[in-house]
Coordinates of all heavy atoms in Angstrom, one line a residue:
G183 N -53.3 -20.3 26.4 CA -52.7 -20.2 27.7 C -52.0 -21.5 28.1 O -52.1 -22.5 27.3
E184 N -51.3 -21.6 29.2 CA -50.6 -22.8 29.6 C -51.6 -23.9 29.9 O -51.2 -25.1 29.7 CB -49.8 -22.5 30.9 CG -48.7 -21.5 30.6 CD -47.9 -21.3 31.9 OE1 -48.2 -21.8 32.9 OE2 -46.9 -20.6 31.8
D185 N -52.8 -23.6 30.3 CA -53.8 -24.7 30.6 C -54.6 -25.1 29.3 O -55.6 -25.8 29.4 CB -54.7 -24.3 31.7 CG -55.5 -23.0 31.4 OD1 -55.2 -22.4 30.3 OD2 -56.3 -22.6 32.2
G186 N -54.2 -24.5 28.2 CA -55.0 -24.9 27.0 C -56.1 -23.9 26.7 O -56.8 -24.0 25.7
G187 N -56.4 -23.0 27.7 CA -57.5 -22.1 27.5 C -57.0 -20.9 26.6 O -55.9 -21.0 26.0
V188 N -57.9 -19.9 26.5 CA -57.6 -18.8 25.7 C -57.3 -17.6 26.5 O -58.1 -17.3 27.4 CB -58.7 -18.5 24.7 CG1 -58.4 -17.2 23.9 CG2 -58.8 -19.7 23.7
E189 N -56.2 -16.9 26.3 CA -55.9 -15.7 27.1 C -56.0 -14.5 26.1 O -55.5 -14.6 24.9 CB -54.5 -15.8 27.7 CG -54.4 -16.9 28.7 CD -53.0 -16.9 29.3 OE1 -52.1 -16.3 28.7 OE2 -52.8 -17.6 30.3
T190 N -56.5 -13.4 26.5 CA -56.5 -12.2 25.7 C -55.3 -11.4 25.9 O -54.9 -11.0 27.0 CB -57.8 -11.4 26.0 OG1 -58.9 -12.2 25.8 CG2 -57.8 -10.1 25.2
Q191 N -54.6 -11.1 24.8 CA -53.4 -10.3 24.8 C -53.6 -9.1 23.9 O -53.9 -9.2 22.8 CB -52.2 -11.1 24.2 CG -51.9 -12.4 25.0 CD -51.4 -12.2 26.4 OE1 -50.8 -11.1 26.6 NE2 -51.6 -13.1 27.3
R192 N -53.4 -7.9 24.5 CA -53.5 -6.7 23.8 C -52.2 -6.5 22.9 O -51.2 -6.9 23.3 CB -53.7 -5.5 24.7 CG -55.0 -5.6 25.5 CD -56.2 -5.4 24.6 NE -57.4 -5.5 25.3 CZ -58.6 -5.5 24.7 NH1 -58.7 -5.5 23.4 NH2 -59.7 -5.6 25.4
I193 N -52.4 -5.8 21.8 CA -51.2 -5.4 21.0 C -50.4 -4.4 21.8 O -50.9 -3.4 22.3 CB -51.7 -4.8 19.7 CG1 -52.4 -5.9 18.9 CG2 -50.5 -4.3 18.9 CD1 -53.0 -5.4 17.6
R194 N -49.1 -4.7 21.9 CA -48.2 -3.7 22.6 C -47.6 -2.8 21.6 O -46.9 -3.2 20.7 CB -47.1 -4.5 23.4 CG -46.3 -3.6 24.2 CD -45.4 -4.5 25.1 NE -44.5 -5.3 24.4 CZ -43.3 -4.9 23.9 NH1 -42.8 -3.7 24.2 NH2 -42.5 -5.7 23.2
R195 N -47.9 -1.5 21.8 CA -47.4 -0.5 20.9 C -46.1 0.1 21.4 O -46.1 0.4 22.6 CB -48.5 0.6 20.6 CG -49.7 0.0 20.0 CD -50.7 1.1 19.5 NE -51.9 0.5 19.0 CZ -52.0 -0.1 17.8 NH1 -51.0 -0.2 17.0 NH2 -53.2 -0.6 17.4
L196 N -45.1 0.3 20.6 CA -43.9 0.9 21.0 C -44.0 2.4 21.2 O -44.7 3.0 20.4 CB -42.8 0.5 20.0 CG -42.5 -1.0 19.8 CD1 -41.4 -1.2 18.8 CD2 -42.1 -1.7 21.1
C197 N -43.2 2.9 22.1 CA -43.2 4.4 22.3 C -42.6 5.1 21.1 O -41.6 4.6 20.5 CB -42.4 4.7 23.5 SG -43.1 4.1 25.1
A198 N -43.2 6.2 20.7 CA -42.7 7.0 19.6 C -41.3 7.5 19.8 O -40.6 7.7 18.8 CB -43.7 8.1 19.2
D199 N -41.0 7.8 21.1 CA -39.7 8.4 21.3 C -38.6 7.4 21.8 O -37.6 7.7 22.4 CB -39.8 9.5 22.4 CG -40.4 8.9 23.7 OD1 -40.8 7.7 23.7 OD2 -40.4 9.6 24.7
R200 N -38.9 6.1 21.4 CA -37.9 5.0 21.8 C -36.6 5.2 21.0 O -36.6 5.8 20.0 CB -38.5 3.7 21.5 CG -38.6 3.4 20.0 CD -39.4 2.1 19.7 NE -39.5 1.8 18.3 CZ -40.3 2.4 17.4 NH1 -41.2 3.3 17.9 NH2 -40.3 2.0 16.2
P201 N -35.5 4.8 21.6 CA -34.2 4.9 20.9 C -34.2 4.2 19.5 O -34.9 3.1 19.4 CB -33.2 4.2 21.8 CG -33.9 4.3 23.2 CD -35.3 4.1 22.9
A202 N -33.5 4.7 18.6 CA -33.5 4.1 17.3 C -32.7 2.8 17.3 O -31.8 2.6 18.1 CB -32.8 5.1 16.3
L203 N -33.2 1.8 16.5 CA -32.5 0.6 16.5 C -31.1 0.7 15.8 O -31.0 1.5 14.8 CB -33.3 -0.5 15.7 CG -34.6 -0.9 16.3 CD1 -35.4 -1.8 15.3 CD2 -34.4 -1.6 17.6
P204 N -30.1 0.1 16.3 CA -28.7 0.2 15.7 C -28.7 -0.4 14.3 O -29.3 -1.4 14.0 CB -27.8 -0.5 16.6 CG -28.7 -1.5 17.3 CD -30.1 -0.8 17.4
V205 N -28.0 0.3 13.4 CA -27.8 -0.2 12.0 C -26.4 -0.7 11.9 O -25.4 0.2 12.0 CB -28.2 0.8 11.0 CG1 -27.9 0.3 9.6 CG2 -29.6 1.3 11.1
I206 N -26.1 -1.9 11.6 CA -24.8 -2.5 11.5 C -24.5 -2.8 10.1 O -25.0 -3.8 9.6 CB -24.6 -3.7 12.4 CG1 -25.0 -3.4 13.9 CG2 -23.2 -4.2 12.3 CD1 -24.9 -4.5 14.8
P207 N -23.7 -2.0 9.4 CA -23.5 -2.2 8.0 C -22.5 -3.4 7.8 O -21.7 -3.7 8.7 CB -22.8 -0.9 7.5 CG -22.2 -0.3 8.7 CD -23.1 -0.7 9.9
A208 N -22.5 -4.0 6.6 CA -21.6 -5.1 6.3 C -20.2 -4.5 6.2 O -20.0 -3.4 5.7 CB -22.0 -5.8 5.0
S209 N -19.2 -5.3 6.6 CA -17.8 -4.8 6.5 C -17.4 -5.0 5.0 O -18.0 -5.6 4.2 CB -16.9 -5.6 7.4 OG -16.9 -7.0 6.9
A210 N -16.2 -4.4 4.7 CA -15.7 -4.5 3.4 C -15.4 -5.9 3.0 O -15.7 -6.4 1.9 CB -14.4 -3.6 3.3
A211 N -14.9 -6.7 4.0 CA -14.6 -8.1 3.7 C -15.9 -8.9 3.4 O -16.0 -9.7 2.6 CB -13.9 -8.7 4.9
E212 N -17.0 -8.6 4.2 CA -18.3 -9.2 4.0 C -18.8 -8.9 2.6 O -19.4 -9.7 1.9 CB -19.2 -8.9 5.1 CG -18.8 -9.5 6.5 CD -19.6 -8.9 7.6 OE1 -20.1 -7.8 7.5 OE2 -19.8 -9.6 8.6
R213 N -18.7 -7.6 2.2 CA -19.2 -7.2 0.9 C -18.5 -7.9 -0.2 O -19.0 -8.3 -1.2 CB -19.2 -5.7 0.8 CG -20.1 -4.9 1.7 CD -20.3 -3.5 1.2 NE -19.1 -2.7 1.3 CZ -18.7 -2.1 2.4 NH1 -19.4 -2.1 3.5 NH2 -17.5 -1.4 2.5
Q214 N -17.1 -8.0 0.0 CA -16.3 -8.7 -1.0 C -16.7 -10.2 -1.1 O -16.9 -10.7 -2.2 CB -14.8 -8.6 -0.7 CG -13.9 -9.3 -1.7 CD -12.5 -9.1 -1.4 OE1 -12.1 -8.7 -0.3 NE2 -11.6 -9.5 -2.3
Q215 N -17.0 -10.9 0.0 CA -17.4 -12.3 0.0 C -18.7 -12.4 -0.7 O -19.0 -13.4 -1.4 CB -17.4 -12.8 1.4 CG -16.1 -13.0 2.1 CD -16.2 -13.5 3.5 OE1 -17.3 -13.4 4.1 NE2 -15.1 -13.9 4.1
H216 N -19.6 -11.4 -0.4 CA -21.0 -11.5 -1.1 C -20.8 -11.4 -2.6 O -21.5 -12.2 -3.3 CB -21.8 -10.3 -0.5 CG -23.2 -10.2 -1.1 ND1 -24.1 -11.2 -1.0 CD2 -23.7 -9.3 -1.9 CE1 -25.2 -10.9 -1.6 NE2 -25.0 -9.7 -2.2
Q217 N -20.0 -10.5 -3.1 CA -19.8 -10.3 -4.5 C -19.2 -11.6 -5.1 O -19.5 -12.0 -6.2 CB -18.9 -9.1 -4.8 CG -19.6 -7.8 -4.5 CD -20.8 -7.5 -5.4 OE1 -20.8 -7.9 -6.6 NE2 -21.8 -6.9 -4.8
Q218 N -18.3 -12.2 -4.4 CA -17.6 -13.4 -4.9 C -18.7 -14.6 -5.0 O -18.7 -15.4 -5.9 CB -16.5 -13.9 -3.9 CG -15.3 -12.9 -4.0 CD -14.2 -13.3 -3.0 OE1 -14.5 -14.0 -2.0 NE2 -13.0 -12.7 -3.1

Side-chain angles (χ1 to χ4, degrees):
E184 292 181 357
D185 60 355
V188 173
E189 298 177 347
T190 300
Q191 301 291 335
R192 296 293 179 186
I193 295 174
R194 185 169 62 87
R195 301 192 182 281
L196 299 177
C197 297
D199 59 351
R200 67 188 184 279
L203 294 174
V205 178
I206 304 175
S209 66
E212 289 170 332
R213 290 196 297 271
Q214 182 179 7
Q215 289 177 347
H216 177 65
Q217 290 298 323
Q218 290 173 346

